[in-house]
Amino acid sequence: MNTFSNVQIINGPDGEPVYVVIPYATYMQARARQRDDLVPHQVVGFIAERGWTAARAWREYLGLTQQQVASRIGISQPAYAQQEAGLRPRKATRARIAAALGIEAQLLDL
């Protein structure tokens, strides 16, 4: 069964397909199925190329300072720096850091 029964394909001047128009309801259904737990390429790059921990890579990607994250958690900046440098903080610590960054905790399990 074709999920996209009301599809309109728009060809370019060369006759090749350029755009696809689908019903709005179909678009919204597809969008709802998208995963919110994807990691941006830049975060992966920070980890792979610079050797940063996931917590640091996310913090840098989001443009936050250690002081800002520490304040959100309610600890000092040096205490946060130690947690961020740890290769795999405890589950509860990861959850607090993730909440301060505004991401899901599993995104720190890289």
Side-chain angles (χ1 to χ4, degrees), residues 78-101:
Y80 175 73
Q82 287 181 340
Q83 291 178 357
E84 182 178 90
L87 292 179
R88 182 134 167 101
R90 294 177 323 149
K91 184 177 181 177
T93 302
R94 286 193 316 272
R96 289 184 2 203
I97 292 171
L101 295 172

Side-chain angles (χ1 to χ4, degrees), residues 47-87:
I47 295 168
E49 297 167 10
R50 299 184 185 182
W52 291 353
T53 62
R56 179 174 182 188
W58 274 103
R59 180 181 58 75
E60 295 278 352
Y61 173 76
L62 295 168
L64 299 170
T65 65
Q66 286 185 342
Q67 182 60 51
Q68 289 171 313
V69 177
S71 294
R72 291 177 183 183
I73 296 173
I75 61 175
S76 69
Q77 180 274 325
Y80 175 73
Q82 287 181 340
Q83 291 178 357
E84 182 178 90
L87 292 179

